[in-house]
């Protein structure tokens, strides 16, 4: 049997489209004409929106963490790469992440307007999105990634030592993908950023 490594360690089962979810919620909010009703609806969605922002940001960090592990598996065939053989379109590839980057900028205005609360997306999390964009571009959407050797890491990422790689692998496979707790990925951030 050939040496293989999964392209997705199991993140996909927990994710849905950020764009579709946000657009659905805002369509529901905007059904109301009355500001009080809009505020109430926004307030009910607010915790979900915050959770989606966190989960998606952690997911992008998790992709880079997993890639840091994958590149150590020299010559291993990537399994489950649904991007393989597709046509690369940078605009489509970056659509979700660009949407999130823009959304977090104006989400603060909405939280102020509807809830009189401040919201500011942390700079270190924006950095995760920015580096992931470079990662996705560098790998051209993974359309040609057949083996671990085909994965390229951006120069901003540090290379973890063997102990760090093991910690990344164990945390992702034993804690994150078994529970869906993407917050655990932030504990590994310093290994690569």
């Amino acid at each position: 049997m050939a040496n293989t490594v999964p392209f997705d360690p199991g993140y996909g089962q927990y994710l849905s489209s950020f764009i579709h979810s946000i657009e659905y919620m805002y369509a529901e909010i905007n059904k109301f004409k009355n500001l009080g009703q809009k505020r109430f609806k926004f307030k009910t969605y607010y915790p979900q929106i915050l959770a989606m922002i966190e989960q998606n940001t952690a997911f992008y960090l998790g992709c880079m963490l997993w890639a840091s592990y994958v590149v150590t598996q020299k010559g291993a065939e990537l399994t489950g790469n649904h991007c393989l053989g597709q046509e690369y379109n940078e605009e489509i590839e970056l659509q979700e992440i660009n949407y999130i980057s823009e959304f977090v900028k104006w989400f603060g205005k909405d939280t102020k307007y509807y809830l009189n609360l401040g919201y500011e997306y942390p700079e270190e999390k924006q950095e995760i999105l920015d580096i992931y964009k470079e990662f996705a571009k560098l790998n051209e959407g993974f359309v040609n990634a057949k083996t671990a050797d085909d994965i390229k890491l951006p120069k901003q990422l540090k290379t973890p030592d063997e102990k760090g790689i093991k910690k990344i692998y164990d945390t992702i496979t034993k804690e994150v993908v078994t529970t869906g707790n993407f917050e655990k990925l932030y504990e590994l951030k310093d290994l690569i950023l």
Side-chain angles (χ1 to χ4, degrees):
M1 185 165 133
N3 184 19
T4 62
V5 63
F7 179 73
D8 172 8
Y11 297 147
Q13 65 185 315
Y14 297 105
L15 296 170
S16 58
S17 168
F18 186 86
I19 296 171
H20 295 303
S21 298
I22 293 296
E23 287 182 351
Y24 171 80
M25 289 180 198
Y26 271 80
E28 289 295 303
I29 293 165
N30 290 324
K31 280 182 181 176
F32 297 103
K33 301 281 184 245
N34 179 295
L35 181 59
Q37 291 173 311
K38 282 186 177 199
R39 281 189 171 137
F40 178 78
K41 196 68 171 171
F42 185 88
K43 187 177 183 177
T44 62
Y45 283 136
Y46 182 68
Q48 286 175 264
I49 294 170
L50 288 178
M52 285 188 337
I53 292 169
E54 284 304 307
Q55 183 181 37
N56 280 273
T57 305
F59 164 72
Y60 291 119
L61 172 62
C63 290
M64 294 185 293
L65 285 161
W66 185 248
S68 295
Y69 161 74
V70 168
V71 299
T72 66
Q73 307 303 299
K74 302 290 182 208
E77 180 188 338
L78 289 172
T79 59
N81 179 3
H82 62 279
C83 306
L84 184 63
Q86 302 289 322
E87 193 171 314
Y88 177 59
N89 179 320
E90 188 173 295
E91 187 179 322
I92 291 171
E93 173 64 28
L94 300 177
Q95 187 177 12
E96 281 270 324
I97 196 158
N98 285 336
Y99 186 93
I100 293 169
S101 288
E102 287 305 307
F103 177 77
V104 294
K105 290 176 189 169
W106 51 266
F107 183 58
K109 292 177 185 154
D110 286 350
T111 58
K112 188 76 177 155
Y113 181 71
Y114 289 118
L115 304 178
N116 203 23
L117 290 174
Y119 172 83
E120 196 170 317
Y121 190 61
E123 201 173 299
E124 65 271 8
K125 291 186 178 176
Q126 183 60 54
E127 181 187 21
I128 290 168
L129 298 184
D130 293 342
I131 295 172
Y132 182 86
K133 282 183 209 179
E134 187 171 324
F135 173 59
K137 287 180 197 175
L138 192 61
N139 287 283
E140 295 184 337
F142 308 97
V143 299
N144 298 311
K146 294 178 184 171
T147 71
D149 301 338
D150 297 329
I151 302 293
K152 300 171 192 83
L153 298 175
K155 60 184 176 293
Q156 298 98 311
L157 295 185
K158 296 187 290 194
T159 304
D161 60 16
E162 201 173 309
K163 186 178 168 189
I165 291 294
K166 182 171 177 11
K167 185 172 183 177
I168 287 169
Y169 178 82
D170 288 345
T171 302
I172 290 171
T173 60
K174 296 176 182 164
E175 296 179 50
V176 177
V177 298
T178 57
T179 65
N181 181 3
F182 282 63
E183 292 287 315
K184 288 293 245 177
L185 294 166
Y186 290 120
E187 294 171 15
L188 305 172
K189 183 173 75 82
D190 293 340
L191 291 172
I192 62 167
L193 295 176

